[in-house]
Amino acid sequence: MSPSSSDKFFDESQEQSVVKATIVEKYFVAWAKIIIATQKRFPRRTQKLGYVDLFAGPGRYKDGSISTPLRILNRALDDPEISERLVTILNDKNEDHSSSLLSAIGELENISRLKNSPIVWNEEVGEDIAKQFEEIITIPLFAFIDPWGYKGLSLRLVDAFLKDWGCDCIFFFNYSRINAGLSNPLVKQHMEALFGDEAEALSARLNGMSSQERETTIVESLAQVLKSFGHRYVLPFCFKNQSGKRTTHHLIFVSKAFKGYEVMKEVMAKESSKENQGVPSFEFVPPSSAEQKLLFELNRPLDELEQLLLSSFRGRTLTMKEIYEQHCVDTPYISRNYKEVLKKMEDESRISTTGRRSNRGFADYIQVTFPD
């Protein structure tokens, strides 16, 4: 990212940037509370938690609004338990940005409440940083990798952040540039850093595909490569351009824990621009877009979920929670979608159930028996 591109990027806090920062902020708070609760049960564990942002920027947009790192710090300052434990590493290779970021941090109200002062680096993101995190046992940390393009982003770096207990990662996936880069031999090294040995085969498979097929194939390939490093949960969130017709980028969340996947899924669901039958789109389309997404509207995802459940669990008896956890991964469905569908199926006598009812609806512990 050139200095001029960087400066232009931080001219204003655009709608997409706000949504991106909101997703990161909401997940950080939920994740921190889960980690702290676990640390309290196991006092021999480290009592620290970390937040790492490798492309942190200057802290404020030109319009004065704060960017993601300061939003995270403000949330930590509002919570005594987080402020007592948080270790923050913020990096930007642009010296002007890192200097501005330090000043912006110092101006935060009650910044002295943090037990550990934020650490600000001024380094190029690449193999050296990946190696540094590979070679240490980290505290539980949430890492945010937000490059302008793709330089510095690699499977090795993501894996280095995820290797230890309690660690999750979310990164900016510049789809429009990576889509072009897969057919450009001049950036082959960067594509291999992202897709590993699959990069060349992926490039060949894309020939002749429609734009939608290309996007699905590229994102699915990335997810499978990430999962090949271990038992990982991968969740993408799509951003469209102003017309709503073209994908610009994704946020890709990666976790080793189902709980992290579940929490982030709920966060991303709430930030989705629309939903159909209560099923979130997991994408953000700027409000000015005139795109109506006809195919999505004609779809009836809850009707499809009903048939999927009948097929997947034929002849089996499971609790609502077991059904949800075994089925929801790599689907757009969230917990309330399963409860709604199962209640409908129960009312229509398509399944049988046992267990005490709850005033809050179809409870997690209700047992469901599917027909043979």
Side-chain angles (χ1 to χ4, degrees), residues 182-183 188 191-192 195-207:
L182 281 164
S183 59
K188 179 181 179 180
M191 296 301 103
E192 289 178 344
F195 295 96
D197 295 337
E198 298 296 316
E200 188 172 349
L202 172 60
S203 178
R205 288 206 313 275
L206 296 175
N207 290 330

Side-chain angles (χ1 to χ4, degrees), residues 240-259:
K240 297 288 186 180
N241 65 358
Q242 286 296 320
S243 71
K245 296 179 180 179
R246 183 171 60 84
T247 295
T248 57
H249 61 280
H250 295 79
L251 278 182
I252 308 289
F253 172 74
V254 195
S255 178
K256 299 190 299 293
F258 177 80
K259 184 63 177 177

Side-chain angles (χ1 to χ4, degrees), residues 274-292:
K274 60 170 61 180
E275 58 181 38
N276 187 18
Q277 288 191 305
V279 180
S281 63
F282 290 93
E283 66 177 29
F284 176 76
V285 182
S288 59
S289 169
E291 173 79 2
Q292 295 300 310

